[in-house]
Amino acid sequence: MNDADLIREFRNGNIDVFSELVAKYSRPLTIMILRIVRDQEEAKDISQTVFLKAYEGLPRFMLASSFKTWLYSIALNAVKDHLRKNRKARMVEADPDQLEDSSESPADRLDAARMSKNLREAMEMLPEKQRLTFQLRIYENLDYKEIARILGGTAGGARGNFFQAVKTLRERLIGWNGDERTGL
Amino acid sequence: MNPIICREAEELIVEDLDEGLDPGGKNRLENHLQTCSKCVRMREDMRMMVAAASSDMPQDPNEDFWKSFDRGLEARIREREPAKRNRRLWQVALPALAAAGIIIAVFGLTIDRHHPGVGKMSATSDIVIDDVHQIFGPSRDELGPSMNSGITMVLNGVTDEAVVRWFEVEDESSQSFL
């Protein structure tokens, strides 16, 4: 059964089919949230809240968009709330041991770790929409139409936000003590 | 072909890194880059930055995480379910109760209009009893136990036609079951 069939089943009272939607979307959705909030427990809590909202909102969901888009919109709103509450959240330290490419020399790995850390800090300073657009484009490989549907606005606007995010990130990274700090 | 300026080159660089450029755009960008070292550097920076962002993924959670996720979600849904069920019950019950109330009110008013005595029984009962006395004589209570040979039934607030007339109660002993 596709999503629309499952939703119709759910509306007809077969609430057990919700577990099929959870099975299909819980991992990609939670990982998407994890890539933004960078904390497993927080990602788990946000993702569960999203599915709970979907469970309660499904009877009113009119199938105007795909279930995935609707679910991701709920998720991004929950992530935005989370980011606002944690605006002064700790900067996650990049752990060189977590970097997977063991072919790199220790110096390269440290550079990469420093680069990642600076990049995350710079991303956290971006305006919310630019940051989320950048992350959805880079991490989730969503196209601009999809990003616009999820975050609101137009595909052109999303493209503009991505461009602005890349530009600002580069400027910020270069601005921070020159190349020594940024790794650029 | 007009040479492009650095600002336009910046847009083309991002577009190239993101979705790729069409051959015309690619050609224009490359021509510009041959003459502008600043934009060459910018392209390298952006390329490195996008690559770093793409590879900077948190580790995927392990299976325990997903088991805990499923258990937690199920518990949270169950926790909400009774409250939701109660809400649903009230959503059904409230209109039903309201409808019942309206029916009772309408039914009561209709009876009141057709039978003014209803609801004013204490005021009208004496009149009804007087009328009954005039027509059928005193009731058995007024006559005393010795006179109890029948039953009077008065339907409060209704007209004379509805008064059940005296009728003899057959003596059960006189009935024959043969």
Side-chain angles (χ1 to χ4, degrees):
Chain A
M1 274 199 283
N2 62 27
D3 290 353
D5 292 336
L6 290 171
I7 290 162
R8 273 188 279 273
E9 276 281 297
F10 183 87
R11 283 177 170 173
N12 289 335
N14 184 7
I15 58 173
D16 292 341
V17 297
F18 190 72
S19 62
E20 288 185 46
L21 292 168
V22 173
K24 186 172 175 184
Y25 289 107
S26 62
R27 291 192 183 213
L29 186 88
T30 308
I31 287 173
M32 185 270 285
I33 295 168
L34 176 61
R35 284 171 185 164
I36 299 172
V37 302
R38 299 205 164 253
D39 180 283
Q40 285 198 357
E41 286 309 307
E42 285 172 9
K44 189 203 289 181
D45 183 55
I46 294 170
S47 182
Q48 285 176 346
T49 304
V50 169
F51 278 104
L52 203 56
K53 281 184 179 169
Y55 181 82
E56 290 178 334
L58 213 43
R60 295 184 300 279
F61 175 52
M62 302 308 289
L63 286 165
S65 62
S66 72
F67 176 73
K68 183 187 170 188
T69 301
W70 182 63
L71 193 68
Y72 274 56
S73 305
I74 298 173
L76 265 298
N77 280 327
V79 167
K80 281 184 208 168
D81 285 346
H82 176 84
L83 294 177
R84 280 174 205 146
K85 282 178 199 160
N86 297 275
R87 193 160 282 283
K88 289 181 181 173
R90 74 272 169 259
M91 299 296 181
V92 182
E93 293 294 323
D95 179 1
D97 292 337
Q98 285 194 353
L99 297 172
E100 286 167 8
D101 188 357
S102 58
S103 64
E104 287 179 311
S105 70
D108 287 344
R109 289 170 67 188
L110 269 175
D111 279 348
R114 194 176 57 196
M115 171 75 170
S116 296
K117 180 177 175 289
N118 290 336
L119 193 55
R120 285 180 210 166
E121 286 181 12
M123 267 198 276
E124 287 192 23
M125 292 166 75
L126 286 175
E128 192 176 81
K129 219 161 184 177
Q130 284 182 27
R131 173 184 175 175
L132 293 174
T133 302
F134 182 82
Q135 288 173 316
L136 288 175
R137 184 81 191 113
I138 296 290
Y139 298 150
E140 305 303 317
N141 206 24
L142 298 184
D143 63 37
Y144 291 119
K145 261 187 181 173
E146 229 170 337
I147 293 171
R149 274 198 294 265
I150 291 169
L151 293 178
T154 61
R159 192 187 299 272
N161 281 329
F162 180 79
F163 171 75
Q164 202 55 45
V166 173
K167 194 177 158 195
T168 308
L169 285 174
R170 176 177 173 266
E171 285 167 0
R172 199 158 279 158
L173 290 172
I174 287 174
W176 283 343
N177 292 332
D179 288 358
E180 190 192 335
R181 180 173 176 186
T182 61
L184 285 179
Chain B
M1 193 192 322
N2 294 329
I4 59 171
I5 54 170
C6 294
R7 180 166 167 71
E8 194 185 343
E10 190 177 23
E11 286 176 19
L12 291 174
I13 288 168
V14 175
E15 200 178 330
D16 192 28
L17 286 172
D18 183 22
E19 294 177 304
L21 286 170
D22 58 53
K26 190 106 181 156
N27 201 26
R28 291 182 75 199
L29 176 62
E30 293 302 332
N31 285 339
H32 176 76
L33 292 176
Q34 280 173 9
T35 59
C36 182
S37 58
K38 191 179 151 214
C39 284
V40 170
R41 177 70 193 268
M42 180 165 64
R43 179 164 74 169
E44 280 314 299
D45 287 350
M46 286 183 173
R47 189 178 279 166
M48 200 191 293
M49 195 178 70
V50 170
S54 307
S55 63
D56 184 28
M57 303 281 193
Q59 283 180 328
D60 276 359
N62 59 24
E63 278 310 304
D64 287 343
F65 174 92
W66 295 114
K67 281 178 193 163
S68 149
F69 178 91
D70 290 339
R71 276 198 305 270
L73 178 60
E74 201 180 330
R76 287 176 73 174
I77 287 176
R78 278 191 185 158
E79 201 175 89
R80 291 282 181 95
E81 201 45 37
K84 201 180 167 192
R85 214 176 289 139
N86 285 344
R87 267 206 311 276
R88 262 192 237 130
L89 185 67
W90 275 109
Q91 279 167 1
V92 174
L94 275 177
L97 285 171
I102 290 167
I103 289 167
I104 289 167
V106 169
F107 187 65
L109 284 173
T110 308
I111 289 175
D112 193 44
R113 203 174 57 218
H114 291 302
H115 306 291
V118 174
K120 301 170 189 166
M121 276 187 277
S122 58
T124 58
S125 58
D126 291 343
I127 299 165
V128 173
I129 289 165
D130 284 344
D131 289 348
V132 170
H133 286 175
Q134 281 175 18
I135 299 165
F136 303 108
S139 72
R140 61 181 180 180
D141 290 331
E142 288 163 329
L143 293 171
S146 61
M147 297 297 287
N148 285 349
S149 56
I151 299 168
T152 304
M153 291 178 69
V154 176
L155 299 181
N156 287 320
V158 296
T159 54
D160 291 346
E161 300 91 295
V163 175
V164 180
R165 300 191 180 274
W166 292 83
F167 53 93
E168 294 294 323
V169 177
E170 285 185 358
D171 185 358
E172 288 182 3
S173 60
S174 65
Q175 288 180 341
S176 168
F177 295 97
L178 293 176

